[in-house]
Amino acid sequence: MRGIKGILFDKDGTLIDFQATWFAIGDLLALQAACGDRARADDLLAAAGYDFASHAFKADSVFAAGTNADIVALWYPGVEAKERQKMTAGFDAFTAKQGAAQSVALPGSREAIARLHRSGFRLGVATNDSTSGAEKTLLAMGVAQMFDAAYGYDAVANPKPAPDAIYAFSDLTGLRPSEIAMVGDNRHDLEMARAGGAGLAIGVLSGTGTRETLAPMADVILQSIADLPEFLAGRK
């Protein structure tokens, strides 16, 4: 743990408020998929993981943890592969623009990133959103210059929970995977950490994950990344 020199962050639910940022966007996409049928759109949202009783997306659901390709496959099951690829590209473009424009930074996230950057940590993002979406969100947050790289599902051969983004960040920075901490709010973030041999798997409760869903895979669980600088400083 004392050898941690780099940090990979999940994006949604870790850097930005998942529910505040994504419900309206997801609702619009579901209405489009349902051809304007409100009841059908609600069914699609529920299938993707939205819990109307709690007004929140469920932990590890398709919408919370999957890629745009996963959502298209779920909502348009009868579409042929070539058309599905076009639709996924459209989802990527729309969500990259709207996700950044409507992104709501979690309290303390900007300050934590700045402090970690000043402390010399190499920083990156590993998300199952698109790479463009990740880059645009970092720009909207005003922290892009502090990050070495952002890896979306389309930047690696295999998205989370596969360890490809850890290996890519390791190659870029020259750090060993054991010198990299992975931080995220869903189980697949921590599964990636384990699969890639990351030095630390950190769960945060600022997104859709719960202590119960994260505990089996996490080395430590924090309320949010606002607690991360102090936690790492205390481990030196």
Side-chain angles (χ1 to χ4, degrees), residues 129-188:
D129 193 6
S130 66
T131 302
S132 176
E135 292 172 343
K136 284 181 169 60
T137 297
L138 292 177
L139 284 168
M141 290 179 66
V143 297
Q145 71 279 10
M146 302 179 200
F147 283 79
D148 290 284
Y151 304 99
Y153 81 95
D154 52 350
V156 291
N158 303 288
K160 295 185 289 187
D164 296 35
I166 289 178
Y167 298 151
F169 191 60
S170 176
D171 288 343
L172 175 70
T173 59
L175 300 177
R176 296 187 299 273
S178 61
E179 296 176 308
I180 298 169
M182 177 65 206
V183 186
D185 70 306
N186 267 291
R187 191 170 55 219
H188 72 307

Side-chain angles (χ1 to χ4, degrees), residues 9-234:
F9 295 93
D10 171 53
K11 177 171 69 73
D12 301 310
T14 302
L15 300 180
I16 65 171
D17 187 317
F18 187 91
Q19 314 294 349
T21 300
W22 285 107
F23 175 75
I25 297 170
D27 189 51
L28 179 58
L29 290 170
L31 273 171
Q32 291 175 346
C35 299
D37 184 326
R38 179 69 263 174
R40 174 60 179 156
D42 288 349
D43 288 342
L44 293 176
L45 284 170
Y50 190 73
D51 183 348
F52 284 89
S54 63
H55 303 287
F57 286 98
K58 297 175 183 177
D60 306 311
S61 62
V62 172
F63 208 95
T67 68
N68 281 335
D70 294 329
I71 296 170
V72 169
L74 177 67
W75 287 355
Y76 299 89
V79 174
E80 293 184 358
K82 189 172 182 180
E83 181 62 22
R84 191 177 294 171
Q85 289 178 348
K86 288 176 61 178
M87 296 175 74
T88 300
F91 266 55
D92 284 347
F94 180 79
T95 58
K97 181 178 180 181
Q98 293 302 317
Q102 299 187 41
S103 62
V104 178
L106 283 162
S109 61
R110 292 187 181 94
E111 294 80 3
I113 290 165
R115 183 174 169 187
L116 293 166
H117 182 259
R118 288 196 302 271
S119 296
F121 288 100
R122 305 292 295 273
L123 306 180
V125 167
T127 176
N128 273 353
D129 193 6
S130 66
T131 302
S132 176
E135 292 172 343
K136 284 181 169 60
T137 297
L138 292 177
L139 284 168
M141 290 179 66
V143 297
Q145 71 279 10
M146 302 179 200
F147 283 79
D148 290 284
Y151 304 99
Y153 81 95
D154 52 350
V156 291
N158 303 288
K160 295 185 289 187
D164 296 35
I166 289 178
Y167 298 151
F169 191 60
S170 176
D171 288 343
L172 175 70
T173 59
L175 300 177
R176 296 187 299 273
S178 61
E179 296 176 308
I180 298 169
M182 177 65 206
V183 186
D185 70 306
N186 267 291
R187 191 170 55 219
H188 72 307
D189 299 309
L190 308 181
E191 289 172 343
M192 181 180 79
R194 297 301 185 198
L200 201 55
I202 302 174
V204 288
L205 299 175
S206 50
T208 60
T210 65
R211 190 171 296 276
E212 290 71 28
T213 61
L214 298 174
M217 300 295 293
D219 292 310
V220 64
I221 299 175
L222 305 176
Q223 283 299 124
S224 74
I225 67 164
D227 300 326
L228 186 58
E230 200 67 33
F231 170 76
L232 291 174

